Amino acid sequence: MQAFRFYSNPDIRDYIIIIAGMALYAIGFTVFILPHEIVVGGMAGFSSLVFFGTGGLVPVAFTMYAVNILMLVCWFRVLGRKFVVRTVFGATVLSAMIGAIEGYFTSRPPIVTDTTMSVLMGAVVCGIGIGLYYAHKGSAGGTDIVAAIFEKKSNISIGRTMMIIDISIVTCSFFLPFDGDMDARVQTRVQTIIYGWASIVIYSFIANYIVNADRQTIQFLILSPKWREIADRVTHESGRGVTFFDGKGFWTGEDRTMLIVWCRQYDADRIYEIVRRIDESAYIIQSEARSVYGNGFDPLKAKPRKNIAPKQVADAEKTADI
């Protein structure tokens, strides 16, 4: 019973899943991608540049942790205490995991000898790991820190900033030390750069799917003569609010009451089952809502408006006069 209560604590459960997600990322990156000398995005990619650029003298884990801590110290006031504490935890765990296994796998031939299959496998495992710890509010630092700073200092979104940084890091692998002429460098490095870009697309897609899967909002429209009982059960068993509208059937002329319910994806099956138990002949319309803002869903945030130059204001006034 105590073990169940321990795991049922939301904060503890989040930390367990965050650690599991980082373990998956460490395995996907260190076991499948790093041995093939492929540079990916994020702090892992930047640290790989340092690792390959120094001939393996500076471990990936050391660079990851040192740069993360340095950036957090420099931008502590901008980022805020909560973000810094969460990122220090994530960066410490991930760097420790990568540091514990990178020496073994970089000193031996790759487990999967085919580069394409190995990078594909690594990107999938990394994407699952990233999605898990992002979905539970974890952060491993790296480009997260830079993106958070840019978001606070400008109107550039976090996603766009991270994509630009990741692509730039992978592209920089072209200039790593290489034994051969320029033609051989181009043939070899362009191929590894394409692998790096492909891995970014794959793990970003998977991570985004995992993060948004449970956050997807579902809208139910329910039509049943037992609407009062359904509304009561939905409210008390799922914790979701119910709104009803009075209407009239065009063909029958009978008065009808329609229920509308918004919920997360993980609540949808429960609400469907409640309706099915009460009235199997009820009409149910289930659809995905693009976004729902407000209490119990996403917070309503207004983006700061850009300052309009005086000339633009004058031109707008002239246009209005015309």
Side-chain angles (χ1 to χ4, degrees):
M1 182 62 70
Q2 290 181 350
F4 175 77
R5 291 177 180 175
F6 177 83
Y7 182 75
S8 63
N9 185 299
D11 292 335
I12 296 175
R13 185 173 64 249
D14 283 343
Y15 276 107
I16 291 174
I17 297 178
I18 288 171
I19 293 173
M22 290 182 174
L24 287 175
Y25 180 86
I27 292 171
F29 168 72
T30 309
V31 177
F32 298 103
I33 296 177
L34 190 62
H36 288 280
E37 298 187 7
I38 305 298
V39 176
V40 295
M43 186 55 67
F46 176 80
S47 302
S48 298
L49 289 176
V50 177
F51 177 76
F52 296 132
T54 59
L57 295 178
V58 182
V60 172
F62 175 82
T63 304
M64 288 181 64
Y65 194 67
V67 176
N68 273 324
I69 297 302
L70 181 62
M71 287 194 297
L72 290 173
V73 170
C74 293
W75 296 98
F76 179 84
R77 293 185 178 180
V78 177
L79 299 171
R81 182 178 178 276
K82 185 176 181 180
F83 179 87
V84 170
V85 171
R86 188 173 69 246
T87 305
V88 167
F89 171 79
T92 302
V93 172
L94 184 58
S95 298
M97 289 179 175
I98 292 178
I101 61 177
E102 68 169 304
Y104 178 86
F105 289 101
T106 54
S107 62
R108 288 168 172 77
I111 292 179
V112 181
T113 56
D114 183 77
T115 304
T116 301
M117 293 303 298
S118 187
V119 172
L120 176 62
M121 184 64 185
V124 170
V125 176
C126 286
I128 296 173
I130 295 171
L132 286 177
Y133 69 72
Y134 269 158
H136 292 266
K137 302 177 182 179
S139 173
T143 50
D144 294 1
I145 301 174
V146 180
I149 294 171
F150 269 87
E151 186 187 38
K152 291 179 180 293
K153 295 292 185 179
S154 65
N155 291 326
I156 303 177
S157 66
I158 288 181
R160 183 179 300 177
T161 303
M162 293 179 68
M163 181 61 68
I164 294 172
I165 295 173
D166 289 348
I167 291 176
S168 301
I169 290 173
V170 174
T171 305
C172 286
S173 65
F174 180 84
F175 303 101
L176 288 173
F178 182 80
D179 295 330
D181 58 14
M182 181 55 70
D183 290 339
R185 174 188 287 271
V186 170
Q187 291 179 358
T188 302
R189 293 302 183 202
V190 168
Q191 186 176 8
T192 58
I193 288 172
I194 292 174
Y195 276 125
W197 287 345
S199 66
I200 292 175
V201 173
I202 293 170
Y203 68 62
S204 297
F205 174 81
I206 294 175
N208 186 65
Y209 177 81
I210 293 174
V211 170
N212 293 327
D214 285 343
R215 297 182 61 187
Q216 175 64 53
T217 305
I218 303 298
Q219 176 178 271
F220 281 97
L221 296 177
I222 304 168
L223 192 63
S224 169
K226 301 179 181 179
W227 63 271
R228 287 186 181 275
E229 185 178 354
I230 293 174
D232 182 72
R233 291 284 187 86
V234 169
T235 300
H236 291 89
E237 293 184 21
S238 71
R240 290 297 178 180
V242 181
T243 302
F244 67 88
F245 298 94
D246 291 328
K248 178 174 289 189
F250 174 77
W251 182 257
T252 62
E254 297 178 357
D255 292 332
R256 299 288 184 89
T257 298
M258 178 174 288
L259 305 179
I260 181 170
V261 181
W262 292 311
C263 67
R264 294 296 192 190
Q265 180 67 56
Y266 49 77
D267 288 325
D269 291 340
R270 185 186 307 174
I271 292 175
Y272 180 86
E273 183 61 24
I274 290 172
V275 177
R276 190 194 66 81
R277 289 201 314 262
I278 297 174
D279 185 5
E280 291 187 352
S281 62
Y283 291 98
I284 303 177
I285 301 175
Q286 178 180 340
S287 60
E288 294 183 357
R290 182 177 179 85
S291 56
V292 176
Y293 300 98
N295 186 28
F297 295 93
D298 297 324
L300 183 60
K301 296 182 180 179
K303 293 184 177 179
R305 298 180 61 184
K306 296 182 179 179
N307 294 329
I308 303 177
K311 184 177 182 305
Q312 291 177 311
V313 175
D315 293 341
E317 291 176 349
K318 290 179 182 179
T319 305
D321 293 339
I322 292 174

